Amino acid sequence: PWFAEVALAGATYRAAGAEANAGVEKSISAEAPASAARRAFETPAEQIALFDGAPLDEQIASLEDSLKEIESDPDAYAKLVSAWMRGDVNALDKEALQPLRKASPGLYERLVTRRNAAWAEVLDQRLKGSGRTVVVVGVGHLVGKGGLPERLRALGYSVKGP
């Protein structure tokens, strides 16, 4: 079910005008010097395991919710982009997080909450070092209770943005 959901969401976003090569990560990486170190929080295998290891009933609940949204709200992607462009944190939480939080709380815990906690630890260690750090994550990790900015602020860092 998770793979069907990812494939359908990707197709829906592409149909709404999303382009994989026009994302924030690609844009920032293209602007960074070739000598800049690039690191990932997770390997592709670890990311797949996050989805694949989720209980089947949670995967099904999330897929069913996504299918309902695709039919009932064909402008969902445009709403998400609009909220992002306005910097509307509440709308981003509503569009990006609330559906998953409601449909499958366990999957939300697995995909968002636990990852944010782990990433905050990694970032804390990195930020205690020297040099500059640029972090690119999906919008769902930036907003809401327990988002990365909130977690970094709780550790004493000054964070601009959401």
Side-chain angles (χ1 to χ4, degrees):
W2 70 266
F3 186 75
E5 183 176 10
V6 169
L8 286 169
T12 301
Y13 284 1
R14 283 189 301 280
E19 296 179 36
N21 290 328
V24 174
E25 185 176 358
K26 296 247 184 201
S27 298
I28 289 175
S29 185
E31 293 294 322
S35 61
R38 289 157 171 82
R39 297 183 187 106
F41 285 123
E42 303 155 339
T43 66
E46 289 170 330
Q47 290 178 342
I48 290 171
L50 284 166
F51 290 97
D52 194 48
L56 192 57
D57 61 326
E58 292 179 20
Q59 292 182 43
I60 292 169
S62 184
L63 172 59
E64 287 175 345
D65 187 66
S66 290
L67 289 170
K68 287 177 193 169
E69 182 180 296
I70 288 168
E71 283 202 21
S72 68
D73 192 3
D75 297 327
Y77 178 74
K79 289 178 186 176
L80 184 64
V81 171
S82 177
W84 175 260
M85 297 304 289
R86 292 188 321 271
D88 187 339
V89 177
N90 292 328
L92 288 168
D93 183 65
K94 179 183 175 194
E95 298 297 327
L97 296 177
Q98 283 182 17
L100 180 60
R101 196 183 297 126
K102 182 180 176 187
S104 184
L107 194 55
Y108 177 85
E109 172 75 19
R110 182 181 189 91
L111 296 178
V112 181
T113 305
R114 287 187 209 162
R115 290 165 84 199
N116 286 349
W119 297 351
E121 288 181 25
V122 172
L123 288 171
D124 183 36
Q125 292 305 308
R126 174 63 182 111
L127 293 170
K128 287 178 180 173
S130 62
R132 293 184 184 184
T133 299
V134 175
V135 180
V136 180
V137 296
V139 68
H141 298 285
L142 296 173
V143 299
K145 184 171 171 32
L148 281 174
E150 180 183 273
R151 289 176 181 275
L152 292 173
R153 286 183 189 105
L155 293 171
Y157 294 100
S158 173
V159 179
K160 293 179 183 177

